[in-house]
Amino acid sequence: MTRQEAEKEMEYYRKIFSVVRLLGEEDMKALEKGRLTGTVSDCCQCYKFWKKDILCENCISLKVWKEKTERTKLEFQGDDIYQVISRYVEIDGKPYVMELVKKMYEDSLLDADGRRKLAGKLSGYNDELYKDAMTGAYNRRYFEDELKGRTDLAGVAMIDMDDFKLCNDTCGHNAGDIALETMVKVIRKFIRKTDVLVRYGGDEFLLLMYDVTEEVFDEKLHQIQKQISEAAVPGYSNLHLSVSIGGLVSANEPLDRAVDRADQLMYQAKSSKNMVVTEMSPLPGNQNSEGIHTRLRSQILLVDDSEINRELLSAMLENEFDILEAENGEQCMEMLSQYGTGISLVLLDIVMPKMNGFEVLSAMNRKHLINDIPVIMISSEDSQNTIRRAYELGVSDYINRPFDARIVYRRVYNTIKLYAKQRRLTRLISDQNYEKEKNNKMMVSILSHIVEFRNGESGQHVLHINILTERLLERLVEKTGKYNLTAADRSLITTASSLHDIGKIGIDDKILNKPGKLTKEEFEIMKTHTLIGADMLESMGIYQNEKLIKIACQICRWHHERYDGRGYPDGLKGEEIPIAAQVVSLADVYDALSSERVYKKAFSHEKTMEMILAGECGQFNPLLLECLKDIQDELREDLKKTTLA
């Protein structure tokens, strides 16, 4: 259109809209610059109109300028709602954005309650779209949609929980979830509201701290790493957290590139575990052709208040090892906090100012460092009580002064080699156990699915029972220690739950898959599947005394017993019923009600809970019913995922 046509059109719009304006190329450049620098542009009238001094998160005018389209949005200011329309136009051959703003009054839109509901819905939708439901951090989609192309000045860190897979495998997924929640809570204590935390992967988090110096960013990351390693995981006192962090301060480069660089630094940190590696404080060692640090020599920390002793030890070892030095226990702990398992060995004196050797060992035990970093005590003290105390506190070896260089070198070398081998064996055994457990569960699942297939069920029943059993057990041990269930016990019960209906293999197909109600005689036959299953397992010969088989027998025989004694086959009552059978019994009833069968349609989750809690399906342990109520929301989501899968 021509300028005259544009003015005429805008004059008409001014009768309807509060703001009508044209933004040209210079205006758009100013807006773009404002977004890059984080400052409000003076030329942008909308900031004065909204009476705010911060940039819009969703500037549709910039998007319209780039896309050459038209967009509309609602802007919320207190109790008021404004409609904003941005249109791309060309006037006399030059590009512009025509921006129209209008307040939407109550009588033409919504009442106050309606506005609150609308604002709440829009906010809730945004949270659902961009927030991780478990931790409350932003999700990967938010990074992809809103962040990855930005070039702000920001500290960029990748934070990865160490041994997360091992935590899930040994303690259960609930423990893993609580560990992640604990980690996120610690991180939030050390960042500002303007900083951004993104759950980038399963146990990987991206932290963005805007307008921060390298020194402050480095300090923050070390604080986060230290506090996470000291944090307690609620309900899991034996679970100790640690993280590997890689970070840098980025400017004038797309964020996704900075994230890749931070990710490389994080993997360097992970090679030593529980460490922070930044461009400002890199991992000691050499660089390969790609610029990645690789540790070629083990690193030893000498802790002695005598400079002469440190020089002697350093001279004995420096040809084969990288040497760090501390002149007292406090310095030692600071360096352990900084380098973590990047230190391969500590040579520790006993008598020192500020903090002696025994106090250092006690602190290393409290922080669980002694499990990963070996200590050799060096001292002229050779009394039996002193040596015994040192070994009780976890030292790997004890060397008396005066030193023999060859003996010192050989003991240091052997200890480092032994610990490195121990770590490799631990990883190997962990991987082997995982594969063995996976194969065992797979074989049990195949066997149980054969029964399911014969029973005409959906193929999801065993999976649902596993999920229900695992979740109920996890919540049960959080609520009470009454049943003394270890993580290994819970894993065995969950695995054995797959076999709860194996006795149905001995039931006639006509009864097993009858679409209507069973007759009294048919029901009596059906009830015998509990005894058939138990008999099958009890006749396993050499395996009958295995714990898995014993638990599976309990579940097969008694998963239809009821807490009030009205179940079958033995009429057991209350705590006479093994806890494994009680848990699987409740899981079985929940899934039977909420799933479709040949004789019934599926009930909704709400109806299923109502029927169970009302006692329509028999009586259950009140404590287990509380557990079921506690976990019902996450249970519903877990089961929904299996259905979609």
Side-chain angles (χ1 to χ4, degrees):
M1 65 180 76
T2 65
R3 171 63 67 170
Q4 186 177 3
E5 289 171 335
E7 290 294 343
K8 187 175 180 181
E9 185 173 318
M10 291 168 66
E11 191 63 35
Y12 172 76
Y13 287 145
R14 288 188 180 100
K15 297 176 182 178
I16 304 170
F17 293 89
S18 308
V19 172
V20 178
R21 62 174 180 152
L22 284 174
L23 299 176
E25 187 172 1
E26 292 303 315
D27 298 317
M28 302 314 295
K29 285 181 179 178
L31 281 173
E32 188 73 62
K33 182 181 178 182
R35 293 191 69 78
L36 291 174
T37 60
T39 58
V40 176
S41 172
D42 290 335
C43 76
C44 186
Q45 299 171 21
C46 69
Y47 298 122
K48 297 173 183 176
F49 182 82
W50 302 129
K51 296 180 181 177
K52 65 179 184 179
D53 58 356
I54 59 173
L55 292 160
C56 295
E57 291 184 9
N58 179 28
C59 180
I60 61 171
S61 292
L62 273 175
K63 293 181 179 179
V64 164
W65 174 262
K66 293 174 181 177
E67 298 168 357
K68 298 184 179 181
T69 56
E70 178 175 323
R71 283 177 176 260
T72 301
K73 74 169 180 176
L74 296 179
E75 183 80 21
F76 291 83
Q77 288 295 314
D79 288 335
D80 296 324
I81 303 176
Y82 294 85
Q83 181 185 23
V84 183
I85 300 173
S86 293
R87 292 175 53 206
Y88 176 82
V89 295
E90 290 186 359
I91 301 173
D92 293 333
K94 294 182 179 180
Y96 292 90
V97 171
M98 186 181 293
E99 201 172 74
L100 316 171
V101 182
K102 178 179 71 171
K103 182 176 180 180
M104 303 182 77
Y105 291 95
E106 296 178 10
D107 56 355
S108 63
L109 183 63
L110 298 168
D111 57 20
D113 185 53
R115 286 199 304 277
R116 282 193 294 272
K117 287 180 180 178
L118 177 60
K121 278 192 174 183
L122 292 173
S123 176
Y125 174 74
N126 192 58
D127 284 348
E128 186 175 331
L129 187 66
Y130 286 135
K131 288 291 182 71
D132 175 56
M134 185 182 73
T135 63
Y138 285 107
N139 57 25
R140 181 66 175 267
R141 180 170 184 170
Y142 180 74
F143 171 80
E144 297 292 339
D145 289 355
E146 302 291 335
L147 299 176
K148 78 174 189 178
R150 293 180 62 168
T151 56
D152 309 277
L153 172 66
V156 181
M158 291 297 294
I159 304 173
D160 183 89
M161 183 178 288
D162 297 324
D163 301 323
F164 183 64
K165 176 178 173 291
L166 188 61
C167 168
N168 277 332
D169 291 344
T170 56
C171 301
H173 290 285
N174 188 59
D177 291 348
I178 296 174
L180 288 178
E181 290 171 7
T182 302
M183 182 179 83
V184 169
K185 286 179 182 176
V186 172
I187 295 171
R188 289 196 186 283
K189 288 181 182 177
F190 291 93
I191 63 177
R192 303 159 297 184
K193 290 183 179 180
T194 54
D195 299 327
V196 176
L197 185 64
V198 178
R199 188 176 182 185
Y200 197 76
D203 61 334
E204 288 184 347
F205 287 78
L206 167 65
L207 174 61
L208 304 177
M209 299 185 74
Y210 294 105
D211 298 316
V212 67
T213 64
E214 286 188 340
E215 291 79 6
V216 171
F217 189 55
D218 190 87
E219 181 183 352
K220 284 290 182 184
L221 295 184
H222 279 91
Q223 286 178 339
I224 288 169
Q225 178 261 334
K226 180 175 182 291
Q227 291 300 315
I228 288 174
S229 67
E230 295 176 0
V233 181
Y236 297 91
S237 57
N238 293 325
L239 191 57
H240 306 293
L241 303 182
S242 69
V243 289
S244 299
I245 304 176
L248 53 93
V249 173
S250 170
N252 300 322
E253 71 171 321
L255 183 57
D256 53 348
R257 292 184 193 170
V259 169
D260 287 341
R261 292 200 291 127
D263 201 46
Q264 290 179 352
L265 293 169
M266 183 270 289
Y267 274 101
Q268 292 177 37
K270 208 159 184 64
S271 67
S272 296
K273 184 181 169 182
N274 197 27
M275 283 195 68
V276 176
V277 176
T278 66
E279 289 184 336
M280 188 177 179
S281 56
L283 190 69
N286 296 333
Q287 288 189 340
N288 63 18
S289 59
E290 297 176 348
I292 303 301
H293 285 271
T294 55
R295 184 182 301 285
L296 300 179
R297 308 203 308 174
S298 297
Q299 193 163 227
I300 295 173
L301 175 59
L302 307 180
V303 188
D304 198 316
D305 60 322
S306 168
E307 186 176 355
I308 294 176
N309 286 338
R310 295 198 306 274
E311 288 178 356
L312 284 172
L313 288 168
S314 182
M316 295 175 191
L317 301 169
E318 63 186 1
N319 288 337
E320 296 293 332
F321 306 100
D322 291 333
I323 305 299
L324 298 171
E325 295 185 20
E327 62 184 31
N328 58 59
E330 287 185 357
Q331 284 186 10
C332 170
M333 293 309 299
E334 288 172 4
M335 298 187 83
L336 286 173
S337 177
Q338 178 182 353
Y339 290 95
T341 51
I343 293 173
S344 300
L345 176 80
V346 177
L347 284 170
L348 180 66
D349 187 23
I350 295 179
V351 181
M352 294 181 293
K354 297 186 179 180
M355 189 177 190
N356 65 38
F358 289 131
E359 290 171 328
V360 169
L361 288 172
S362 297
M364 289 182 71
N365 276 279
R366 285 195 305 273
K367 295 176 180 291
H368 312 288
L369 296 172
I370 201 74
N371 299 324
D372 295 314
I373 305 173
V375 177
I376 295 178
M377 189 70 86
I378 50 173
S379 177
S380 55
E381 176 66 58
D382 60 357
S383 73
Q384 290 298 313
N385 287 338
T386 300
I387 296 173
R388 186 183 301 112
R389 186 181 177 194
Y391 279 112
E392 286 172 351
L393 286 170
V395 301
S396 300
D397 205 348
Y398 195 100
I399 300 176
N400 289 107
R401 296 191 184 97
F403 304 127
D404 182 303
R406 286 172 298 176
I407 291 176
V408 170
Y409 171 80
R410 179 49 56 185
R411 287 188 174 183
V412 165
Y413 177 80
N414 287 346
T415 301
I416 291 175
K417 186 177 179 181
L418 177 65
Y419 263 69
K421 185 176 182 180
Q422 179 179 307
R423 290 191 191 103
R424 287 196 300 272
L425 286 173
T426 299
R427 286 196 295 269
L428 179 63
I429 291 169
S430 174
D431 290 342
Q432 287 176 343
N433 283 342
Y434 173 75
E435 286 300 317
K436 183 179 178 181
E437 184 180 354
K438 184 180 74 174
N439 291 335
N440 287 343
K441 287 182 177 180
M442 187 166 59
M443 293 305 296
V444 169
S445 180
I446 290 170
L447 181 59
S448 56
H449 274 77
I450 292 171
V451 178
E452 263 194 87
F453 179 77
R454 186 170 177 273
N455 198 20
E457 292 177 348
S458 65
Q460 296 289 312
H461 180 57
V462 169
L463 178 59
H464 290 177
I465 294 297
N466 281 170
I467 293 171
L468 286 153
T469 300
E470 182 180 26
R471 294 288 183 263
L472 283 168
L473 287 169
E474 286 173 350
R475 184 61 185 142
L476 182 63
V477 297
E478 289 173 9
K479 290 181 80 74
T480 179
K482 176 180 178 180
Y483 299 102
N484 195 28
L485 293 168
T486 64
D489 292 333
R490 301 197 301 274
S491 178
L492 282 174
I493 293 170
T494 300
T495 301
S497 70
S498 300
L499 300 171
H500 70 288
D501 273 341
I502 195 172
K504 286 184 177 179
I505 203 164
I507 304 297
D508 189 283
D509 285 353
K510 293 177 182 177
I511 297 175
L512 199 60
N513 295 315
K514 183 176 178 179
K517 186 177 180 180
L518 298 178
T519 65
K520 184 177 180 181
E521 292 76 15
E522 289 170 337
F523 184 58
E524 289 301 318
I525 294 172
M526 177 65 85
K527 286 162 63 174
T528 63
H529 80 276
T530 57
L531 300 173
I532 294 170
D535 288 342
M536 287 172 63
L537 294 170
E538 286 172 349
S539 60
M540 290 289 290
I542 59 172
Y543 299 115
Q544 63 184 7
N545 291 321
E546 293 291 332
K547 195 169 184 180
L548 175 64
I549 300 301
K550 288 184 175 181
I551 291 172
C553 276
Q554 294 175 359
I555 292 170
C556 283
R557 186 179 185 102
W558 292 312
H559 72 280
H560 282 291
E561 299 288 357
R562 293 292 176 261
Y563 209 65
D564 57 2
R566 296 184 178 181
Y568 62 86
D570 299 313
L572 299 185
K573 186 176 183 180
E575 296 303 330
E576 293 174 353
I577 310 167
I579 189 60
Q582 289 189 51
V583 172
V584 175
S585 173
L586 182 54
D588 190 32
V589 167
Y590 179 95
D591 190 58
L593 291 172
S594 59
S595 303
E596 188 172 338
R597 296 287 187 266
V598 292
Y599 53 85
K600 61 172 276 295
K601 295 291 184 181
F603 291 112
S604 67
H605 166 78
E606 291 75 18
K607 182 63 176 176
T608 296
M609 290 295 296
E610 180 186 327
M611 293 172 72
I612 291 173
L613 296 175
E616 294 182 36
C617 308
Q619 295 297 312
F620 296 95
N621 185 334
L623 190 55
L624 287 179
L625 291 178
E626 287 181 25
C627 293
L628 181 63
K629 286 192 288 185
D630 291 345
I631 65 171
Q632 61 175 315
D633 291 336
E634 62 185 80
L635 200 58
R636 180 165 40 190
E637 290 303 311
D638 286 345
L639 297 180
K640 188 188 296 182
K641 290 175 187 175
T642 66
T643 303
L644 293 174

